[in-house]
Amino acid sequence: MPEERTVTIPAREQHAGQASITVTLPWIYQQCDGPRGEPYSAISWDGSHQLAVHSWINPCGHVEKYSQVRRDLEVQP
Ligand SMILES: [Zn+2]
């Protein structure tokens, strides 16, 4: 089993400062099959509101978009 982390991310692009989801994810960046960076508290800005979320920096240097993380969630069994 891969390591997992529980993180809070925006539920959608226009989160209005409220729409967050907390999810447990395999802590692997699937494009590279490498570990993701450690999550840290961050602020997401949708253009008019702030939302407290987690962010992380992948050691391989690839930047993940929340939109891609949400798409990956939809295809999980
Ligand atoms: Zn990468």
Side-chain angles (χ1 to χ4, degrees):
M1 287 292 288
E3 267 192 86
E4 295 182 333
R5 293 284 190 281
T6 299
V7 290
T8 300
I9 64 172
R12 51 184 169 270
E13 205 100 353
Q14 295 297 316
H15 50 64
Q18 297 181 343
S20 65
I21 50 173
T22 298
V23 292
T24 299
L25 304 171
W27 212 240
I28 298 286
Y29 181 47
Q30 294 175 357
Q31 307 294 321
C32 298
D33 230 18
R36 285 167 163 154
E38 282 303 314
Y40 59 89
S41 294
I43 295 292
S44 173
W45 173 252
D46 74 356
S48 47
H49 296 90
Q50 296 182 350
L51 182 68
V53 295
H54 288 108
S55 186
W56 55 89
I57 296 171
N58 291 330
C60 70
H62 281 127
V63 176
E64 287 189 76
K65 291 188 180 304
Y66 291 124
S67 55
Q68 183 63 54
V69 176
R70 288 192 296 265
R71 266 196 296 272
D72 291 347
L73 280 170
E74 288 167 14
V75 299
Q76 275 181 14

